Amino acid sequence: MALLSRAVYEPTIANALPRTVAALRVDSARGVPGEPVFGAFAADLKEAQAAGAIYEFAKTLNTRLPGARSQVLRVARLAGQDRGVTKEAIIKAAPLLGEDQSWSAIRTGTNRFTSFFLLSAFDLRWTDQGTIGAVPAHQAVFTRVFGRTFLIATLVTLATLALAFPLAYVMTNVRPVIAGIVLVLVLLPFWTSILVRTAAWTVILQKYGLLNDLLLWLGVTSERLELMYSRTGLIIAMTHIQLPFTLLPIYSVMRAVQTSQLRAAQSLGARPFTVFRRVYLPQVMPGVLAGCLLTFILCLGYYITPVLIGGASDQLISNFIANYVNVELNWEMAAALSFVLLVSTLGLYVTMTRYLGLDLFKMG
């Protein structure tokens, strides 16, 4: 919760600019403020530099105002020379501070509680007119990433369902010994680390790897395919990893279906497809939905597999969150993206359980 709260709470700018905040209350006009505000701004930067907080402030402002970091540090050095710093000198050193949108970003940043990062997660921002609008097209990233994440999760879920349903059906209609062997074969990779399984797929999917050799030998393709660092390879690897999560709920429900009901329906004249559609499928549907929901939710948070197998255009939202946490140290943006992903997942779960009559805790 402490991390998620950083999506709406960011006091860095307000803490670094106490004099500027007070001066802006007096100078209430929109756009570039007057000389007193610039004087207060220079004094705040000088104090922040002396306290060692100037770099954190510059980095935070840069997230709201791209390109501001170097210019703010330049103004801080200018203010630290113990000479009278005028508005003209500050704008000369930092041209961004002579633009209306820059001071709009500073004014909104002086609020400790902010919607900036949550709006940014949807590629939105506050405009100079006080309304919400879209960011420039070259800065719009996150809606595409969220769409890609949900698309890949959907494709993997459908692929695992296409494999798991007939496999579970076969397992319920063969001898228990054979069903047990098949179940062990399915679960065997499940007991192996996901990192090891992903590393194995990096070998299998190579251009001169086992899968390409098999496809050429079977005559499926006439040339080797580029499966590594591609969406196709990513979906293949994720499908293999997620198959047990889809199979087990379906298999557990199929085992509980009474075969006498199917025979009774056939004895009453129902065709095989009608028996399947009206008698069998409604009983196994809770298992299908549970397996698909579990797989879909797990796919939304994948990190290792997209990094090792997916291409640059196949990175999921979890990869961006990790980058903001570990590389850019922008925990506020990471918290905002995590919050959106969490709410989306909870919303999906509530929808499935309430409107589809699915209860994951009473299945078996």
Side-chain angles (χ1 to χ4, degrees), residues 282-294:
Q283 296 187 67
V284 301
M285 188 55 66
V288 172
L289 295 176
C292 290
L293 178 62
L294 184 59

Side-chain angles (χ1 to χ4, degrees), residues 253-254 256-258 261-262 278-287:
V253 173
M254 282 185 174
V257 176
Q258 299 291 330
Q261 299 177 5
L262 308 181
R278 301 188 62 179
V279 179
Y280 189 74
L281 190 59
Q283 296 187 67
V284 301
M285 188 55 66

Side-chain angles (χ1 to χ4, degrees), residues 171 174-185 251:
M171 291 169 62
V174 297
R175 289 183 298 170
V177 175
I178 298 177
I181 294 174
V182 174
L183 185 61
V184 170
L185 293 176
Y251 177 59

Side-chain angles (χ1 to χ4, degrees), residues 71-288:
Q71 297 190 27
V72 165
L73 295 177
R74 197 180 306 138
V75 174
R77 288 194 294 269
L78 180 65
Q81 296 176 359
D82 293 327
R83 295 183 301 180
V85 182
T86 63
K87 174 181 176 180
E88 181 182 357
I90 292 176
I91 293 178
K92 183 178 179 180
L96 272 177
L97 297 178
E99 301 176 3
D100 292 349
Q101 65 176 14
S102 301
W103 282 99
S104 177
I106 293 173
R107 285 187 176 94
T108 56
T110 56
N111 298 316
R112 297 176 186 274
F113 290 92
T114 176
S115 59
F116 172 80
F117 297 103
L118 287 178
L119 288 176
S120 297
F122 294 98
D123 292 329
L124 301 173
R125 66 176 181 181
W126 288 103
T127 64
D128 297 338
Q129 290 74 34
T131 60
I132 296 177
V135 302
H138 67 278
Q139 296 180 13
V141 176
F142 300 118
T143 52
R144 291 200 304 269
V145 176
F146 273 111
R148 180 194 309 152
T149 300
F150 280 86
L151 174 62
I152 291 178
T154 300
L155 294 175
V156 172
T157 301
L158 294 176
T160 56
L161 177 61
L163 295 173
F165 192 94
L167 182 58
Y169 182 80
V170 170
M171 291 169 62
T172 58
N173 289 277
V174 297
R175 289 183 298 170
V177 175
I178 298 177
I181 294 174
V182 174
L183 185 61
V184 170
L185 293 176
V186 171
L187 291 178
L188 192 60
F190 185 67
W191 297 326
T192 307
S193 167
I194 188 173
L195 180 59
V196 174
R197 281 179 284 172
T198 302
W201 275 108
T202 62
V203 176
I204 296 173
L205 295 173
Q206 295 287 341
K207 188 172 183 178
Y208 293 91
L210 298 177
L211 185 56
N212 265 305
D213 290 342
L214 178 62
L215 293 176
L216 287 173
W217 182 73
L218 294 175
V220 176
T221 62
S222 58
E223 58 183 18
R224 295 184 179 273
L225 305 177
E226 296 289 347
L227 298 177
M228 273 296 294
Y229 311 119
S230 69
R231 185 163 300 181
T232 301
L234 176 61
I235 291 175
I236 291 173
M238 290 178 64
T239 298
H240 169 255
I241 295 171
Q242 288 299 128
L243 182 60
F245 294 99
T246 308
L247 174 68
L248 293 178
I250 297 175
Y251 177 59
S252 66
V253 173
M254 282 185 174
R255 289 184 57 189
V257 176
Q258 299 291 330
T259 57
S260 58
Q261 299 177 5
L262 308 181
R263 292 195 298 268
Q266 289 178 333
S267 67
L268 294 174
R271 296 178 180 274
F273 180 73
T274 303
V275 174
F276 174 80
R277 181 174 62 86
R278 301 188 62 179
V279 179
Y280 189 74
L281 190 59
Q283 296 187 67
V284 301
M285 188 55 66
V288 172

